[in-house]
Amino acid sequence: MYNSDMYQDSEKLTYYIILATNAVVNSEKGLEDLPADAKVDELQVNGRTVLKISGTYERDTKNRPNHWTLNLDNSNIITSENQHSDLKAYVVLPDNEFLTKWGSKYSPVTNQAELPFVENSNNAYLIDTTPWTVIAATGTYVKSQAKGNKNIGMTSEGQLAMIGEMWCKNSPVPIDVIAAVQSPYYNFLFAKWMAAQNDQINMALVDNCGHDIMAEVQDRFNQILRHFSLKNRYLSN
């Protein structure tokens, strides 16, 4: 919340959203529930994409909630360099007003490294920092199989994060990969590719099974897991 002059029923606010380097605005939903007079500009600042959102915002009351939504997707290009990134949000308040939380007064941004992202405003406040990590980018799909998996962290062109490929080829510990042949979510042949990369990797293809192997064919899954555990001396007879 912020301390207003309490005389105006609505006020002009400007938000600056620094997008994570591995995220893009959703092409269909994008920004939702913005004020009617909202203006959105896209800025490029120090190699980062910044959304500048200005508008007249009403007071937040029980009968008239006031919020807006930014919908994001994973970027088309995911690499080991941008697998982890942060999204930051700033708000610029009217002059002589300030941000508070639980009675504590926030200090406006003065860091010279941050000021360019808020167009050098003297009354801007950092209101959120959110990590954006693309877990699926560490998968082990070959590039042809990754094609089209944009929404789960791969790219529409089959770009594969190098960190996943390096992990697969260099793992020193035994790994058992169990893949369902009839999975509607992935091509089961990724397991064969993994096994071909590293002698430590063993694969098992389970036929007549969808995505949830351990739930759909429990006995078969337990048999594979027990064999792997005994082979690698994780269990005793």
Side-chain angles (χ1 to χ4, degrees), residues 34-186:
L34 289 175
D37 67 341
K39 180 182 178 182
V40 180
D41 295 303
E42 183 176 302
L43 312 176
Q44 295 297 322
V45 182
N46 296 338
R48 298 290 294 270
T49 299
V50 181
L51 297 182
K52 177 183 178 181
I53 307 166
S54 302
T56 304
Y57 292 84
E58 304 292 337
R59 294 194 184 283
D60 190 358
T61 67
K62 183 178 296 186
N63 297 323
R64 188 174 56 188
N66 177 22
H67 66 273
W68 52 271
T69 304
L70 170 61
N71 298 290
L72 299 176
D73 283 331
N74 294 330
S75 169
N76 285 348
I77 303 298
I78 301 297
T79 69
S80 57
E81 295 182 357
N82 74 341
Q83 184 189 354
H84 307 283
S85 185
D86 286 333
L87 179 148
K88 292 188 176 182
Y90 297 83
V91 63
V92 176
L93 301 183
D95 291 341
N96 302 317
E97 296 181 7
F98 54 89
L99 190 69
T100 63
K101 185 176 182 180
W102 308 116
S104 299
K105 182 177 178 180
Y106 279 41
S107 298
V109 173
T110 57
N111 188 316
Q112 293 299 313
E114 293 181 87
L115 285 172
F117 293 102
V118 294
E119 296 185 303
N120 296 306
S121 169
N122 61 4
N123 202 27
Y125 298 82
L126 177 64
I127 57 175
D128 190 36
T129 299
T130 301
W132 189 277
T133 300
V134 182
I135 301 298
T138 59
T140 52
Y141 291 85
V142 297
K143 293 186 178 181
S144 62
Q145 292 165 351
K147 186 175 182 180
N149 286 329
K150 173 181 175 182
N151 288 332
I152 63 169
M154 298 299 183
T155 79
S156 57
E157 298 301 325
Q159 178 73 27
L160 177 67
M162 291 302 295
I163 187 172
E165 191 169 349
M166 291 172 60
W167 167 82
C168 181
K169 291 181 177 179
N170 300 327
S171 176
V173 298
I175 299 172
D176 206 24
V177 180
I178 308 174
V181 174
Q182 282 78 32
S183 172
Y185 300 114
Y186 57 76

